[in-house]
Amino acid sequence: MLLLPLLLSISAPARAADSFDEAAWYAQTCVACHGAAGKGDGPAAAALTPKPANFTDAAFWAARTDDVVKKAIKEGGPAVGKSPIMAPLGAGLTDGQLTEVVAYLKTFKGKK
Ligand code: HEC
């Protein structure tokens, strides 16, 4: 019976990770700059130089690996040679959650 609390304490963080909603996280954390449709045209974008990345642009995805995209989100723009305006917003995410975020960003690819 000692096992039960132990198992619960192990499975609780796993459940929390599974309930991570990358679309909601994007809406909350990224939309102001990257825009609701991922075009890099959020309300804050007009004032920024360089402009936020446009995730609908196939050339953006052709020019970098998923690992570089994950690194930019986790460690910020400077970690991949980009602007510090892109902050390390994903620093608190697990690798699995970062993978989910990248998959979500790719849903914008090729959209108008
Ligand atoms: C304050 C505005 C701002 C917010 C908020 C923001 N970004 Fe960015 N992001 C930028 C800017 C500006 C760039 C372009 C940097 C450059 O080209 O030097 C960028 C670039 C990127 C890149 C491309 C890095 C590369 O390899 O070129 C990715 C991926 C990215 N952002 C993801 C995200 C995600 C995911 C979120 C939400 C968690 C987010 N950004 C939130 C401004 C922002």
Side-chain angles (χ1 to χ4, degrees), residues 54-64 66 69 102 105-106 109:
N54 176 357
F55 304 127
T56 67
D57 184 3
F60 171 86
W61 294 104
R64 42 183 74 55
D66 287 7
V69 176
V102 173
L105 298 183
K106 281 186 171 172
K109 183 177 164 183

Side-chain angles (χ1 to χ4, degrees), residues 70-88:
K70 279 159 91 168
K71 196 176 172 79
I73 300 166
K74 189 180 177 75
E75 299 177 25
V80 297
K82 297 288 175 172
S83 168
I85 297 172
M86 179 56 216

